[in-house]
């Protein structure tokens, strides 16, 4: 990707693992490396930074980068606590830098086409949003334990997608989750299977279903139903072949790995960040977007635990002002 | 259909509208007609009756038919009150006649294929059921007011489908419904758009989404996701043509009318009833099935009104024994 | 079908096999049966006859029916000799009766939709026609030997389809055929696999490919490519289910039996004949249509034998006047 | 692409247009540029060259590169004359360098999957090959005049695809071509619409249909039908969205530009060339492949002009020994 975004140059790289750091720098011809990210922030030739570290480091790094007047791309979630994300959002504004949150799926050509179709009015007023989001396989146990749970790690993408597609804030959440895939989730106090109902400020309804393991691949579908029609997307498959034999009609599975499935969206996401920095236009995914997805995720987890509807305004005062 | 079920003969017809009665009898060559259904029940050459009248007449007619020792096919719902359906169920058993409830969609080749696939174990243990069920257009206001509401009139098919596909009873329901299609539903104290979450006794989850009006046709899809795969069905379309021009790739819409969409399932349903009567084997859709779909429907309506999860056992003691 | 065409009644049936005759008459409640078809022709209550006998009997039966002033539906091909079909065509005209040839595929909803799309001008001027026509299995040896060969028995449907879709006469044929499926075809002096190139009077080109055995079912596709687009049809399948598991995406095969595949077209074909007879309007598939398909078939066989292009005008003078 | 093939470095670039040369060199950071390609061949740090010039320059350049002991990638066709291609093939062998011809479509994931399916025996013995190959729009008139005609410029890809998919040499060709798209083709002594029949050494048959302009995009399909099944591929589309409204079901068109459609295959093609050079293994597309596609193309053009079947052995003695 380093070489594929015209106008951007990677001038410095920082990582706490020295070997990784050297290897990646060599592979992509990155001139300067540092074990301490502060040194990157000190460089005058650095205009913007991309923070792709574990969630618990985001808060401090974003604040430091903002203080150093660097524009910031940060992977989701910004943090697991609402007040810290609010603080982040306030500080980057105060420092006059841009903060873009890594909801890469917004840049996927299929999901973008759904949004364009909805925005164009072609399906009329949106009534029902449906998202199916199933991972192809379970992450390592260590990752699960540090992930913040299914709603803040996995469904968070769908919560952002929901807001993106409907162009309206979520007001209430009802979620039901369970462990059907692997007991490791139960041991981590997490769930692997979930169904979520969303109510939107515009009166529409939404439903999300998640599983941590779809044996047939990465299942990522979005559908918006409206007063004048419906738009949906199929999964991306390895190829488009169809084979018919005595046993049936057979074709390829959905892509199985997120790097394959979302290659294009990762590239377009970073292009959009670079372009926003260069043109001083607003980034397309803001700190507010990062905040709201976390609020919905926390509401969903609370809903499962208490088996009841949770209003977003109970968790976050500003939920209606977005 | 009259002529298309070998081994069955329509010997008598009853309707309260004399003109309709005469017209239909003439069209299908039915020898005897009566304005009073009791006269049909008195005939010794009548082995079985099909009750296709408004819901509020089912209770008395079924009891009368059972007393007359006629096997009974009755359209759904049997009644809107749980205790009356329980009484119906008890009485038909006591009279030794069969009662089959008209959940015709079970006999649709597509939904049947989903069930066979699930039952075969091919997709492993079922984890998540998804049903999309959207009507092509809204019924007349009079119908809406007498319908018992969206959950007992429309979603009831999906509740039965859910039990049929998952082979497990529903234990809890959360439903969210609203009026987005037409204010006539609000005026009738009803809703036109709904999203339902189901919890099943086997631990699986389900989601149903409904709309009273899909401008593009009758949208009827079922998907079952399991530990080893997923099975889903597409809608039936008018034809299979695909046309590509400068503006895009275009193909036919889903069938728009329930008589077209479910022609085959209505035929197979009646064949199954006739066969069960003739061979004295159990009917494939029982009074218990009719009861459970109503219980879920009542729970869903209660859930919307109280914005909370409703346990079926709160409405019906026997809900777990099914 | 007997009961499914309003306005038509089967009053008499004739067959040379007495047992068959009795069985079918009983099944469909046909009042009169005759071992000699002449007796059917003598009945004043017979307005029209359907001739569904082996090809070598068509000539005499059609002439006899015409002489008896009965409208005639006759299965394809009318005959294997051009001059006899010309004679048939002349005689039915002289007798003032209608003759409709059984190219049932014209009435298939999918192929009809292709034609409507072409006729509407939506794909512009037609440039290339493509037909894939593969039988699901080989017929009995006796049938093969009496069939007149692949081009007059099987491809004849495609030749008619070509004229029907393009709305233009075929002027030249190049065919290449071989035996790849079963040596029984070679023993019968026939072929089981063929590729045909057609040139049309309007300047367009066409290609047909045939096989006597597609193990995956009845493969019947038509595509018309034009200056402004393309229209094509997929096969009809048993159901619309899609199953994804670890091994791939799987769905149903094309229907395997011509009675299933063309149920609807047989029904509509006979309705069209009955309607034409009743309203005294021209039948939609004429003796000329029956003739031209045979001419193309004979040209194709000649082309294979001589490995060269054959002009239809070399076989039939009137080929351009259609 | 320059940066996307690990292990390969572009060290020099040559072009007769100085401005183009400078621009491309700058864009891709290529250190050395020359107006005379001989200077590239003189450099000791050049291991291999890619010749992407007009067809009439290939012969001399390939011979020069071979003499300079550089491995060669050359765009198709190598030349329009059989004897010159034979000479090329002989000289590169004599010089001990590799020559790979640019039939990039062999590296397309879809067509590769078809080949793998055929090779695996999954569809049994191949009986019929079908290729549809339609360009999205017509090239400039100058290009058309210098192109060698539709069969050597466009269908040549399909001829190579035919040999690649069937794993068997073509023995006879029958082609029919005409001008239906644009009179510019007629003025250039060329055709824009063609249907080709192929006979293969293994007894199978093939059909290709071409058009120079499909208004709906780049239409590139391959189907192989065999004794045990069939494999086919759909076109690559812009995205996978499906939109249903009152007018129909709508989805995206095939990709419209060859650089989009074949991005992946161009990359994999060059990777394969680099790998073959580096590992000293045979290139996957040889001079013989380049020759045979031209022989079939010349035979096709001759077939159209003479309206008859042309045996490849009449044009090229070695046609059977491939």
């Amino acid at each position: 990707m380093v070489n594929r975004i015209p106008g951007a140059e990677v001038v410095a790289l920082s990582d706490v693992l020295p070997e990784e750091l050297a290897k990646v720098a060599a592979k992509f011809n990155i001139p300067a490396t540092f074990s301490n990210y502060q040194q990157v922030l000190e460089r005058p030739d650095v205009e913007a930074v991309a923070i792709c570290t574990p969630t618990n480091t985001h808060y401090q790094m974003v604040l430091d980068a903002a203080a150093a007047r660097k524009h910031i791309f940060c992977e989701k979630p910004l943090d697991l606590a609402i007040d810290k994300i609010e603080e982040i959002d306030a500080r980057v504004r105060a420092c006059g830098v841009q903060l873009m949150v890594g909801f890469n799926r917004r840049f996927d050509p299929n999901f973008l086409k759904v949004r364009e179709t909805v925005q164009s009015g072609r399906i009329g007023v949106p009534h029902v949003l449906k998202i199916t989001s199933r991972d192809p396989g379970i992450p390592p146990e260590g990752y699960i334990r540090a992930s913040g749970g299914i709603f803040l790690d996995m469904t968070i993408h769908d919560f952002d997608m929901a807001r993106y597609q409907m162009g309206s804030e979520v007001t209430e959440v009802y979620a039901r989750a369970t462990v059907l895939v692997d007991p490791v989730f139960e041991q981590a106090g997490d769930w692997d299977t979930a169904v979520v109902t969303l109510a939107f400020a515009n009166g529409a309804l939404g439903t999300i279903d998640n599983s941590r393991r779809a044996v047939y691949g990465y299942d990522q579908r979005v559908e918006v139903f409206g007063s004048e029609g419906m738009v949906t997307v199929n999964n991306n498959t390895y190829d488009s072949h169809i084979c018919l034999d005595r046993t049936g009609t057979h074709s390829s599975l959905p892509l199985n790995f997120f790097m394959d499935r979302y290659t294009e969206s990762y590239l377009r996401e970073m292009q959009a960040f670079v372009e926003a920095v260069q043109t001083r236009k607003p980034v397309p995914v803001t700190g507010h977007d990062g905040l709201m997805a976390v609020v919905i995720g926390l509401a969903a987890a609370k809903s499962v635990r208490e088996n009841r509807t949770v209003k977003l305004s109970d968790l976050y005062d500003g939920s209606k002002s977005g």
Side-chain angles (χ1 to χ4, degrees), chain A residues 96-155:
Chain A
V97 296
Q98 300 238 45
L99 167 63
M100 176 161 154
V101 181
F103 287 121
N104 67 294
R105 295 183 192 176
R106 290 189 178 207
F107 301 90
D108 173 73
N110 287 328
F111 299 140
L112 190 58
K113 182 72 186 181
V114 172
R115 179 172 154 98
E116 286 170 3
T117 305
V118 174
Q119 297 278 316
S120 73
R122 189 167 169 194
I123 62 156
V125 178
H127 288 182
V128 179
L129 166 79
K130 286 171 58 185
I131 297 177
T132 290
S133 173
R134 297 168 186 157
D135 277 359
I138 65 176
E141 185 168 352
Y143 179 93
I144 294 169
R145 289 188 178 278
S147 72
I150 187 170
F151 294 117
L152 287 169
D153 177 57
M154 179 178 166
T155 324

Side-chain angles (χ1 to χ4, degrees), chain A residues 1-48:
Chain A
M1 203 172 294
V2 167
N3 299 311
R4 292 173 69 185
I5 300 178
E9 202 181 340
V10 180
V11 294
L13 187 70
S14 172
D15 197 315
V16 293
L17 301 173
E19 279 185 33
E20 266 315 289
L21 182 60
K23 203 165 64 182
V24 174
K27 182 169 175 189
F28 295 105
N29 254 327
I30 300 171
T33 60
F34 304 98
S35 59
N36 185 335
Y37 74 88
Q38 294 286 6
Q39 294 171 283
V40 174
L41 298 180
E42 284 163 16
R43 291 179 62 117
D45 61 343
V46 168
E47 266 181 277

